Amino acid sequence: METISIRPEPNRMAQAVAKVARRINDTMEEGRDSLDLSDCGLISFPDGVFKMIRSCSENIHKISLADNQIKALSNKFFLTFTQLRELDLQGNVLTTLPDAIGEAQHLQIINISRNNLSVFPERLTDVKSLKQISVEENQITASTWDKRTASLSFMKQKFQNSLDLRRLGRSRRLQCERTVREKY
């Protein structure tokens, strides 16, 4: 009788946790101003990260949480990273952003493309420092944009046409652009 040796598949959860811990440690030890937790299999921003990075959260200016499975961010995220200037949330499953994003007064760039947003996050209009936003490939409908005409016009004016409407779908993009033209 032949014996077959089967190697158990490594625990993916343990690998993901180790990857996150390694990236956080690298950020802290090297005194980086950026935290890259992209492609880590996250479904939320881990509470443990808040504890680990508490001593240097004011030094973090850029965070990438791209290409995870994050369903929501808490208000605590924006209240912790108060000096955040750039946030990459593309490629998650976000349906909304927390109200505290309106308090992110240093945020200049946000990428929320490729999520499940069905309405434009209106609290972004409260962020006076914001210069660039990417929202493509979400589920934002033309009627949602129509209801948010004031926000869209404000954002277009504020960003001097750097609001990225590509890949919203041709009819939605044309309708948004027509609305903006009519306002000006």
Side-chain angles (χ1 to χ4, degrees), residues 113-129:
S113 57
R114 296 187 295 116
N115 275 284
N116 293 332
L117 298 170
S118 59
V119 296
F120 180 79
E122 197 166 340
R123 287 296 310 242
L124 287 175
T125 62
D126 295 334
V127 183
K128 296 182 183 1
S129 58

Side-chain angles (χ1 to χ4, degrees), residues 71-89:
K71 298 176 183 179
L73 282 179
S74 67
N75 282 322
K76 184 177 182 180
F77 178 86
F78 292 100
L79 299 173
T80 300
F81 298 104
T82 58
Q83 301 300 310
L84 195 58
R85 288 173 175 76
E86 188 172 336
L87 180 59
D88 188 355
L89 296 169

Side-chain angles (χ1 to χ4, degrees), residues 18-41:
K19 187 177 195 178
V20 168
R22 197 169 37 254
R23 289 185 181 182
I24 291 168
N25 284 335
D26 289 348
T27 295
M28 292 176 64
E29 288 175 5
E30 296 173 17
R32 294 182 192 161
D33 68 348
S34 63
L35 176 61
D36 181 5
L37 296 180
S38 61
D39 199 28
C40 286

